[in-house]
Amino acid sequence: IRRKAEARCRRVTNGAVPWSPQIQNFWDRQSLWKLLLKGRKQCRVSSRKIRRLMKKTKLPNAWKKTTVELEKALRNDRKEYLHAKKNHAVTWRKKFLTIQVKRSKKKQWTLRKARDRFLRLRRMKQREEARRRRRAQSKGSTSGLQAIQVEEKLPNGKVDLRTLTDRRQVEQGCMQENRARYNQTQSPYTTPPMDEPLRTQRGTLTPFWRAAFQCRMGLILTLSHS
């Protein structure tokens, strides 16, 4: 009974398809077919945009198609896009981010701009992973979180991604990410007092709290000796 009820439940579609070059190719082709069909209906369209899309999608002879062929191509592209969006969009997005991060790692950080770009890509990948976890735990989802990717430091000093599928490992990975995200003294989410030059000038403890800490430690030592 529960399986039948679950099968009849409405699937919540929130949109927000993860971007990847493959998904962008679907969007470009559909935009091209729509513009060409709009032009066949004697509507005003941008010929420059049509040429740009034909060059981008590598379809230089698209304007030679008849109206029936354009409608058929649009229907076929929509079917393929819906299938890809449902089954491959998340995987393509993860692969794209992984490739971008690896490319950034290979380049030498001779400029601050390159390092900032690498950090942005890294945070983007973390945000994508967090969104995927939230979607798995959201109200409209019918399945639990099955796998996550965590960063693992190799003996040679490099950082690599490791996929966790075991339930306990997934839970530990989620807890470690939360601790790192909300820990105010851990990079890259440090608060201003923990950044330079405030860290060097003021230290990790203010004079009041430093005195309180020393007093507490002295009291503990006194009690232990007594």
Side-chain angles (χ1 to χ4, degrees):
I1 295 175
R2 285 183 293 179
R3 289 183 178 178
K4 290 183 180 179
E6 183 180 354
R8 294 181 180 180
C9 286
R10 182 173 65 91
R11 304 290 178 179
V12 179
T13 55
N14 298 323
V17 181
W19 187 90
S20 62
Q22 295 89 340
I23 292 293
Q24 183 64 47
N25 194 18
F26 280 110
W27 292 342
D28 292 337
R29 287 206 305 268
Q30 291 182 31
S31 299
L32 177 61
W33 304 136
K34 289 177 183 177
L35 285 175
L36 290 173
L37 285 171
K38 194 174 179 181
R40 296 294 171 86
K41 295 177 182 178
Q42 304 300 323
C43 296
R44 187 175 181 179
V45 293
S46 173
S47 59
R48 186 176 295 178
K49 186 174 183 180
I50 291 176
R51 288 197 299 269
R52 189 164 60 245
L53 286 173
M54 285 194 298
K55 184 178 180 181
K56 193 174 181 181
T57 56
K58 298 180 181 179
L59 296 170
N61 298 323
W63 63 275
K64 294 182 180 180
K65 292 181 180 291
T66 62
T67 305
V68 178
E69 291 175 344
L70 290 174
E71 291 176 350
K72 184 178 179 180
L74 181 59
R75 284 196 301 270
N76 293 336
D77 271 343
R78 279 177 176 170
K79 289 180 182 179
E80 293 177 3
Y81 169 68
L82 291 175
H83 177 74
K85 181 178 71 171
K86 184 178 180 181
N87 300 315
H88 305 296
V90 177
T91 306
W92 287 344
R93 176 65 177 175
K94 289 168 64 177
K95 288 182 179 179
F96 170 73
L97 288 177
T98 304
I99 292 172
Q100 293 295 319
V101 171
K102 287 183 179 179
R103 285 179 181 174
S104 299
K105 286 181 180 179
K106 289 180 181 178
K107 295 180 181 179
Q108 293 183 354
W109 288 336
T110 55
L111 298 175
R112 182 179 178 84
K113 186 177 180 181
R115 180 175 177 82
D116 292 342
R117 182 174 180 273
F118 168 74
L119 292 176
R120 283 198 304 272
L121 287 171
R122 188 175 177 182
R123 290 169 189 167
M124 189 185 301
K125 190 171 181 64
Q126 291 173 349
R127 284 197 298 268
E128 291 289 338
E129 191 72 21
R131 288 195 194 102
R132 191 171 68 85
R133 295 178 190 182
R134 285 198 299 271
R135 281 198 298 268
Q137 298 172 354
S138 63
K139 185 177 180 181
S141 177
T142 58
S143 60
L145 191 63
Q146 297 179 355
I148 62 172
Q149 284 186 328
V150 297
E151 293 182 352
E152 183 180 14
K153 194 170 184 180
L154 301 178
N156 56 4
K158 295 183 179 179
V159 179
D160 196 9
L161 293 176
R162 185 162 65 97
T163 304
L164 304 178
T165 55
D166 185 63
R167 180 178 177 181
R168 290 188 177 181
Q169 292 180 349
V170 170
E171 291 176 353
Q172 291 176 0
C174 292
M175 288 189 290
Q176 288 178 2
E177 184 193 8
N178 287 336
R179 281 197 295 268
R181 185 179 296 275
Y182 297 107
N183 188 355
Q184 297 182 355
T185 61
Q186 186 172 353
S187 179
Y189 306 104
T190 55
T191 54
M194 299 305 298
D195 291 335
E196 298 297 340
L198 292 179
R199 180 184 174 89
T200 304
Q201 293 176 357
R202 301 184 61 86
T204 55
L205 293 175
T206 60
F208 172 78
W209 290 109
R210 189 180 295 109
F213 180 74
Q214 292 174 355
C215 180
R216 182 183 177 188
M217 292 302 296
L219 181 61
I220 292 174
L221 290 174
T222 304
L223 291 175
S224 62
H225 286 303
S226 61

